[in-house]
């Protein structure tokens, strides 16, 4: 049997290659898991922040909140009005 240029003559060769691939997949899985954790759960900032850093953090969080509210309003205006249950019916 030949796989990507490697020739397997015995079942033992296949078992060794299978174990090597299993270890490689495990290492990659751990790496992906670590990267995912860093992405989803950023490191906690335990150090004392300066007042400027705190102010910038609040401004960044506030800008994100305002951006979310504006996007929600736009979606409501575009989609919400079409499917609204409490929409006024037009008089003829």
């Amino acid at each position: 049997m030949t796989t990507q240029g490697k020739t397997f003559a015995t079942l033992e060769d296949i078992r060794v290659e299978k174990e090597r691939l299993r270890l490689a997949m495990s290492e990659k899985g751990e790496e992906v898991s670590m990267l995912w954790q860093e992405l989803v759960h950023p490191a906690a900032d335990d150090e004392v922040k300066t007042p400027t850093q705190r102010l910038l953090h609040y401004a960044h969080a506030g800008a994100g909140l305002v951006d979310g509210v504006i996007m929600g309003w736009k979606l409501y205006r575009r989609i919400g009005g079409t499917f609204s249950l409490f929409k006024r019916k037009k008089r003829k």
Side-chain angles (χ1 to χ4, degrees):
M1 176 191 292
T2 304
T3 303
Q4 296 179 0
K6 295 181 182 179
T7 303
F8 303 110
T10 65
L11 289 176
E12 186 61 30
D13 292 342
I14 295 172
R15 286 187 189 110
V16 169
E17 182 66 14
K18 184 177 175 182
E19 185 61 28
R20 186 189 67 78
L21 291 173
R22 183 178 291 136
L23 289 173
M25 285 180 14
S26 175
E27 290 173 2
K28 286 293 182 180
E30 290 173 4
E31 182 182 346
V32 168
S33 175
M34 183 184 67
L35 291 173
W36 179 256
Q37 288 298 323
E38 289 176 7
L39 179 67
V40 176
H41 304 289
D45 293 332
D46 293 335
E47 73 234 16
V48 177
K49 292 184 176 181
T50 64
T52 306
Q53 287 176 329
R54 271 186 267 143
L55 180 64
L56 288 174
H57 175 72
Y58 292 140
H60 181 73
L65 181 65
V66 169
D67 185 44
V69 169
I70 290 172
M71 184 182 71
W73 178 252
K74 286 180 179 180
L75 288 173
Y76 171 76
R77 294 281 306 229
R78 182 170 291 232
I79 297 171
T82 305
F83 300 110
S84 178
L85 296 175
F86 304 107
K87 188 168 123 178
R88 290 185 181 178
K89 296 183 180 180
K90 294 181 181 179
R91 295 184 185 179
K92 293 185 178 183

